[in-house]
Amino acid sequence: MTVTFIQQLLAVGSGVIVGFSLGLIGGGGSILAVPLLLYLVGYRDTHVVIGTTALAVALTAFANLILHWRAGNVRWKAALSFALPGAVGAAIGKVFPGKQLLFLFALLMIVVAISMVRPRRDTSSRPMLSGWPLLIRTVQSVSWLAYSQVFSELEEDFLLFLDSCLLQACRC
């Protein structure tokens, strides 16, 4: 596919929008980048768009990782427990047709949107889980991450979503 000058400008503008969103709210890169590249910039191959956004998000995340690592804010064991199943799921996700990926991506965005607007229960007075219950909840969360990776290849937004789910689960 030959990219026109207008498409290059639209891609740069889309990158600015996504970067602003990441800086403002700390997430949303893939959720915004995929539709922007598909429908605004005009790329037609879903897998190319997902691969392109994965590289963009990975470079941004790597730069962010360096800053947090230097500040001592990285929990390597927890990060790897999320990243490794996600990497396996992303590899499996390549076998799905582009239209199916887009449908599942849209469905996942709806689920995330609903989870963001529904009222939260106050869980601050509940005891924290430990031992087997905590392990079971953690395995459930990591399994959901791997499942979401299989269908969407968009780890960044689901890590944030699952992180909030895990924090809620540990307090119930």
Side-chain angles (χ1 to χ4, degrees):
M1 174 181 153
T2 304
V3 179
T4 67
F5 179 71
I6 297 297
Q7 285 177 307
Q8 289 175 344
L9 288 177
L10 289 171
V12 169
S14 297
V16 169
I17 291 169
V18 171
F20 179 73
S21 167
L22 287 169
L24 185 64
I25 59 175
S30 296
I31 291 282
L32 293 173
V34 169
L36 284 171
L37 287 178
L38 279 171
Y39 303 116
L40 179 67
V41 176
Y43 290 167
R44 298 290 176 237
D45 187 335
T46 305
H47 288 282
V48 169
V49 168
I50 290 172
T52 302
T53 59
L55 175 62
V57 168
L59 292 175
T60 305
F62 183 72
N64 198 19
L65 167 66
I66 298 300
L67 296 172
H68 282 285
W69 171 62
R70 287 183 177 165
N73 296 328
V74 177
R75 302 296 177 257
W76 292 101
K77 191 174 182 180
L80 291 175
S81 72
F82 282 114
L84 294 178
V88 171
I92 294 169
K94 292 189 306 187
V95 301
F96 288 92
K99 287 189 179 246
Q100 188 177 11
L101 280 176
L102 283 179
F103 173 77
L104 294 170
F105 176 71
L107 189 63
L108 232 33
M109 287 193 324
I110 292 168
V111 169
V112 170
I114 290 170
S115 73
M116 290 174 66
V117 297
R118 82 185 165 133
R120 304 279 181 211
R121 296 180 306 196
D122 180 22
T123 59
S124 59
S125 62
R126 294 184 180 174
M128 295 291 285
L129 288 178
S130 62
W132 284 105
L134 177 60
L135 178 63
I136 290 169
R137 294 285 172 97
T138 303
V139 168
Q140 287 172 336
S141 296
V142 170
S143 298
W144 174 248
L145 173 67
Y147 175 79
S148 70
Q149 292 300 311
V150 166
F151 290 107
S152 71
E153 300 182 28
L154 302 171
E155 73 284 344
E156 162 205 353
D157 303 301
F158 292 101
L159 284 175
L160 295 171
F161 175 71
L162 290 174
D163 185 47
S164 66
C165 290
L166 183 58
L167 285 174
Q168 286 181 1
C170 291
R171 289 195 170 117
C172 59

